[in-house]
Amino acid sequence: MGFGEQTDVLESFAPERRKALALFRASVTLADVDLERVSAPVSDTASSSFPALYKWLRPWRARGLSRAGRHAEAWQVRYEDWLARPVDTVVVHALAVEALRVFADGTETDRRRRLASARQAVACWAMVLHSPSYWEELARRSGHPWTPDERKDASDQVAERIRQVLRDDDRAAERPVVDSLELAWDVELAAARCLAGVLVTTDCGWPVQAGSDLTFGPGFLDLLRSAGAPWEALAEEVDGWVSDAGRSGEASGDRLRDLMSPEGRYTMLLETGRFDQVIAALQAGTATERRARGDAGPQHGPQRILGAALVARARDHLKAKRWSEAVRDFEDAAGAGASLTLHEEEIGRAGRQAGLALVQNRVRPDWQAYAGLLQRALDLAPEDEELKRNLAVGCVHLGRQAQHQGDQDRARARFAQAYELDSSNETVVAALNESDTRWAEDLLQKQPMSVLTRAITELRRILDRDATLRPVRKALATALYERSLDVALTGARAEAMGLMREARGLLEPGSDDWAPGRGPKEAVATGLCERAFPVDVSDEDELRNAVDVIAVARTYEVLPGIADEQAALLAHLIGLLCRNEDYDEAIRLVRRCPRDAEDRSGLDRALAEAYAGRARRRLSEGDTAAAHSDVRAVRKYDPTHPLALFGPGDADQLW
């Protein structure tokens, strides 16, 4: 009795026994009807599964479904078979063929499943076409040994046919280029090809035990992650291997890491010169970075790709002589973190040419825009000497404009900037010297005591550049002179003397400020005395300040006649105090009278008046003895005072 006659007999067995016999029958006949009868459906899916002992029946079942035109079901069975052997190139090829059929025949209405079939086809076909073991197996089964050229031609033909199918679908679905299936296919092919090359040159241990000829792209690696343990762990090992290859310093390893990353599509667009699409997508924030675990190397995410794209487009602008656009893209590239060290010559050229377009052959050259553009370029290429020289010229023009507008400070700042950029340019040096001279002359007129320290620092800096500028030397001498006097009043004698020596060292013989034989002490004393006068003798504060300043001046050197001046000031101050009936303080001031004063007449009369006033107050208070003591003092300082001339009686109640 044949197997075909046993249908009714199977029904007489118990269910478990019946299933075992059915499986045995299917394994012998390999008939579609028997295979379909024993394949157990998986709940909530259109897929089916076989017991582990009969898993080898899956390819037969898939073949039967495919012959029947049931490609979606055949694809599912092929996928189940792949899950069991995901790095077997024969199984991968079978899945690739069936997935592509599902995508291409148009019968799958579920959009998500159809896209999944496309991505599986892309991933698996790229892996198959770049794995030598597949071609060896193909040669063994066909009996035809494939030469390298034949293999390449066949591979290119298959790749192009798949590309055309994907391209047609992209057009129909109106997918953006960065999201297109065609681009995903190109990335997968490039990554698999690059991986094959890296495997030949690297010493890193390839984690796929099936052999080093097994190569694939990022899509297949994602499939491995979805296959569960242990394939997910293997995918992580491959990630680590790719990162190590990227850190090896080889360009191929670096490129492999880029292609295997989520930004692989942008790398592909970059390599094919589609810079605008890369830049537009990445600047819109459509990319996210995923770095391999433990990857501590340089950034390889969206910003790096964006920087490279901007640099590449900037170089295209250079070729087309779009100078301003080139500078802008170089700026944006720097903002994205790209290194521009190797492009400084190109940046300098772009900046210079873009600047020339703003000022050359123009009725009104735009020097402001010129300087701004060159400064932007110089920020990117700080070592470009020609850029510096050109920018210096622009700064001189802007300084001249500021001078014509009456803004001397802004003009001087521009000339100083020009000098920093190009100190060898005689025009720049002359412009700055002229501006500094004007500023120094203005400082001499205004003498801003509140900013002496800053002025001294600035004037010293100018003389460090050019010590021959006479107005600047004179301005610095004046500032040092005034600062020396300020310091002297604080008691810092050594510092005051040092400043005065420096000031005098700047003056030239024959100048108006040159006094032969005058030493620094005498200069300080003279300056302080000059500060003390003139004095408003009706202002108590002015009088007190003048007395204090002269007292400090005397500690440096006693100038002729200064003692008499000091006595006269004390006399005026005592007179003011007497008017306010502050006799005690007025009398105490006698201690401050210099002993070398030759003319004390005014001071003595003022003191006599102070004693007389206090005598009257003491008498009114009933302190007659103290009053008589003050009267004796009156006689001492001014014998002509009424209290000294009249005796006891009506002339004065004290007598």
Side-chain angles (χ1 to χ4, degrees), residues 296-503:
Q299 184 178 5
H300 281 261
Q303 288 298 98
R304 179 181 178 276
I305 301 296
L306 175 59
L310 287 163
V311 168
R313 190 171 72 177
R315 300 184 74 186
D316 269 5
H317 286 320
L318 278 174
K319 293 176 184 177
K321 298 184 178 181
R322 296 187 292 268
W323 312 114
S324 296
E325 290 87 344
V327 173
R328 184 175 59 248
D329 274 354
F330 277 126
E331 277 184 311
D332 291 343
S339 173
L340 301 179
T341 304
L342 299 178
H343 304 286
E344 290 195 4
E345 188 278 329
E346 294 170 311
I347 294 169
R349 179 155 51 92
R352 292 190 297 273
Q353 294 297 330
L356 283 176
L358 294 170
V359 297
Q360 201 172 47
N361 301 323
R362 292 205 175 193
V363 177
R364 290 187 176 182
D366 191 345
W367 292 108
Q368 188 70 44
Y370 175 86
L373 195 148
L374 263 64
Q375 184 62 62
R376 288 163 51 202
L378 188 61
D379 290 342
L380 301 174
E383 303 303 321
D384 192 299
E385 294 301 324
E386 192 171 352
L387 260 183
K388 292 179 182 179
R389 290 192 292 271
N390 289 8
L391 180 55
V393 172
C395 289
V396 169
H397 281 284
L398 289 176
R400 297 296 187 202
Q401 289 179 358
Q403 282 182 331
H404 294 155
Q405 295 166 1
D407 192 341
Q408 300 302 328
D409 290 339
R410 184 158 59 90
R412 186 164 168 265
R414 281 296 188 181
F415 294 142
Q417 182 184 1
Y419 182 80
E420 289 179 6
L421 292 164
D422 187 8
S423 59
S424 64
N425 187 318
E426 294 182 359
T427 302
V428 171
V429 174
L432 182 57
N433 285 349
E434 177 193 353
S435 181
D436 282 342
T437 299
R438 184 176 299 178
W439 176 79
E441 291 172 344
D442 186 57
L443 184 69
L444 279 174
Q445 294 176 0
K446 296 179 180 178
Q447 295 187 4
M449 298 299 127
S450 60
V451 292
L452 271 182
T453 302
R454 185 178 66 82
I456 289 171
T457 301
E458 181 67 12
L459 289 165
R460 281 172 173 164
R461 184 190 63 77
I462 295 171
L463 289 183
D464 285 342
R465 187 187 73 245
D466 188 348
T468 65
L469 295 176
R470 291 184 179 181
V472 178
R473 293 174 65 89
K474 186 175 181 180
L476 178 56
T478 302
L480 289 168
Y481 177 85
E482 296 296 339
R483 179 61 181 161
S484 173
L485 301 183
D486 289 343
V487 172
L489 291 173
T490 67
R493 186 181 183 87
E495 183 182 356
M497 294 292 289
L499 291 168
M500 187 59 73
R501 289 191 187 95
E502 184 182 355

Side-chain angles (χ1 to χ4, degrees), residues 72-93:
E73 297 173 69
W75 169 47
Q76 192 62 45
V77 176
R78 291 293 188 188
Y79 180 68
E80 292 171 14
D81 196 28
W82 176 83
L83 287 174
R85 297 176 290 170
V87 293
D88 186 321
T89 53
V90 175
V91 176
V92 174
H93 174 256

Side-chain angles (χ1 to χ4, degrees), residues 178-258:
V178 293
D179 297 324
S180 67
L181 295 174
E182 181 185 1
L183 180 59
W185 173 236
D186 289 336
V187 171
E188 201 75 16
L189 289 173
R193 190 179 305 115
C194 185
L195 176 57
V198 172
L199 285 172
V200 173
T201 59
T202 185
D203 293 331
C204 300
W206 179 235
V208 182
Q209 297 178 356
S212 61
D213 67 334
L214 193 65
T215 57
F216 43 75
F220 192 83
L221 197 57
D222 287 339
L223 279 181
L224 279 182
R225 290 191 184 93
S226 69
W231 309 110
E232 187 176 3
L234 175 61
E236 292 298 324
E237 288 186 52
V238 172
D239 267 338
W241 185 91
V242 169
S243 294
D244 291 341
R247 285 192 292 265
S248 66
E250 297 291 335
S252 58
D254 196 51
R255 179 171 182 260
L256 175 64
R257 180 161 63 173
D258 284 342

Side-chain angles (χ1 to χ4, degrees), residues 506-518:
L506 291 166
L507 298 176
E508 299 178 6
S511 69
D512 295 340
D513 297 307
W514 182 255
R518 179 187 291 182

Side-chain angles (χ1 to χ4, degrees), residues 529-559:
C529 290
E530 289 174 352
R531 277 196 179 184
F533 297 100
V535 181
D536 182 357
V537 295
S538 64
D539 188 320
E540 181 181 338
D541 290 335
E542 280 197 31
L543 284 169
R544 287 182 183 276
N545 179 69
V547 169
D548 291 340
V549 170
I550 291 176
V552 174
R554 287 178 61 89
T555 65
Y556 285 85
E557 188 162 319
V558 179
L559 301 177

